[in-house]
Amino acid sequence: MLSIQNLFKRFGNLIAINEFSLTVNKGETVVLMGPSGCGKSTTIRTINRLVEPDRGSILLNEHDIMALDIDSLNQVRKRIGFVFQHFNLIGRLTTLENVMLGMVMGGMQREIARDKAIGALTKVGLETHLEHKPGELSGGQQQRVGIARALAYEPELMLWDEPTASLDPILVREVLVVMEELARDRASSMIVVTHELPFALRVADRIVLMDKGQVVEEGKPSQVFVNPISEIGRKYKELIEYQMNTSAQSLAGN
Ligand SMILES: Nc1ncnc2c1ncn2[C@@H]1O[C@H](COP(=O)(O)OP(=O)(O)OP(=O)(O)O)[C@@H](O)[C@H]1O
Ligand SMILES: [Mg+2]
């Protein structure tokens, strides 16, 4: 479905992506983790060429992404949903209008765009908030509008870059629940950059650990977090054990 081979990206002297290769199957959810600055955001932004890689190959189904001219690239970008940390909703538009906007600007008939937007907003549980403006929504609800905006295109591939990172911890859960439902639905393949370990453990078909622009380990969560082979993998394993132990101790102590 998606095949990335030997991706390479340099910013001046800094090598941000170093011969990165990854294959994602149809309907699969891959969680991409690694230390800050290891190249996760840069990597997922190269997939639709928001960041231009220096070299490498990116095949999405029949499309050779690196070979596309700008018009064809814009067509393929519609098949790829992107959810960022900051939701960038337009404050003067309603929930429904925010989700419809891109489709209408892209030439879709208003009625069709409206149906697709309502369908997507229903999937994220916001069908009762169609007329709210972003300022009248919580952060979690705003991010769910952001998710609906990507979902409305029925993307083949969803890319998530720390979608819960700017949310109040209480609101993180509602977004993770929506993400988990979408992953279980398997309508799109997903690459999720997140530091949410419980989500990764529960939802990922595969964990990919990155360090210094490279894949250092990949496998099922039960493999990567139980018998890691990389230094980064061992650090995540220690972190999970620490979190489990401290939670158990606090509960026992109170
Ligand atoms: N436009 C840019 N110009 C110069 N350097 C950049 C640019 N974008 C990213 N970098 C550098 O490339 C490296 C990888 O950055 P990237 O944002 O991909 O990391 P990340 O793994 O997403 O980190 P985080 O977990 O903090 O989001 C970093 O050293 C970053 O400073
Ligand atoms: Mg990042």
Side-chain angles (χ1 to χ4, degrees):
M1 196 258 160
L2 173 70
S3 171
I4 302 172
Q5 295 295 328
N6 301 104
L7 203 62
F8 188 90
K9 176 69 184 179
R10 186 193 276 275
F11 295 111
N13 285 331
L14 183 121
I15 297 174
I17 312 176
N18 193 1
E19 307 294 343
F20 179 99
S21 299
L22 175 70
T23 303
V24 183
N25 299 316
K26 192 169 188 303
E28 189 182 23
T29 295
V30 170
V31 170
L32 184 58
M33 304 181 102
S36 181
C38 73
K40 303 176 298 294
S41 296
T42 308
T43 299
I44 65 167
R45 281 160 190 262
T46 56
I47 294 172
N48 61 4
R49 286 172 52 197
L50 282 178
V51 171
E52 281 288 352
D54 298 328
R55 56 183 153 80
S57 100
I58 305 168
L59 304 176
L60 176 64
N61 293 325
E62 70 280 18
H63 303 291
D64 179 351
I65 303 273
M66 295 295 283
L68 297 176
D69 61 33
I70 188 68
D71 289 339
S72 319
L73 180 60
N74 281 332
Q75 286 305 315
V76 173
R77 280 178 176 160
K78 291 182 183 165
R79 314 296 310 147
I80 305 176
F82 215 126
V83 182
F84 300 92
Q85 181 173 338
H86 298 286
F87 358 106
N88 298 327
L89 302 178
I90 299 176
R92 66 190 159 74
L93 299 183
T94 65
T95 295
L96 181 60
E97 288 164 346
N98 264 288
V99 177
M100 286 173 63
L101 181 70
M103 293 186 283
V104 173
M105 300 270 282
M108 194 183 288
Q109 272 182 7
R110 274 193 83 81
E111 280 314 301
I112 296 174
R114 190 184 149 83
D115 286 350
K116 285 185 185 283
I118 292 174
L121 284 161
T122 304
K123 274 200 182 145
V124 301
L126 285 177
E127 65 279 14
T128 56
H129 288 66
L130 301 182
E131 301 306 324
H132 287 61
K133 301 256 173 84
E136 301 160 350
L137 300 173
S138 71
Q141 289 170 330
Q142 290 185 51
Q143 184 58 303
R144 286 191 278 147
V145 178
I147 295 170
R149 189 173 48 189
L151 272 185
Y153 289 94
E154 296 159 20
E156 293 162 45
L157 176 65
M158 286 279 281
L159 304 173
W160 308 77
D161 194 0
E162 301 201 39
T164 59
S166 60
L167 296 176
D168 179 320
I170 302 278
L171 300 175
V172 167
R173 195 181 154 273
E174 69 183 57
V175 173
L176 293 178
V177 165
V178 166
M179 292 170 67
E180 181 164 349
E181 278 169 12
L182 295 173
R184 302 232 179 274
D185 200 27
R186 298 201 176 272
S188 310
S189 304
M190 313 215 301
I191 303 179
V192 187
V193 175
T194 181
H195 296 292
E196 296 289 337
L197 274 168
F199 173 85
L201 283 163
R202 280 166 60 88
V203 182
D205 295 308
R206 194 149 41 103
I207 304 282
V208 173
L209 299 183
M210 255 185 110
D211 194 17
K212 302 188 182 81
Q214 288 180 315
V215 173
V216 291
E217 178 154 10
E218 63 177 304
K220 290 198 167 81
S222 57
Q223 175 193 328
V224 169
F225 293 139
V226 177
N227 290 311
I229 55 169
S230 65
E231 189 56 35
I232 298 294
R234 279 191 284 277
K235 288 191 176 145
Y236 278 113
K237 181 184 177 184
E238 283 167 17
L239 182 60
I240 291 170
E241 285 168 353
Y242 172 78
Q243 287 179 348
M244 279 167 53
N245 286 337
T246 47
S247 309
Q249 279 165 12
S250 325
L251 285 172
N254 289 315

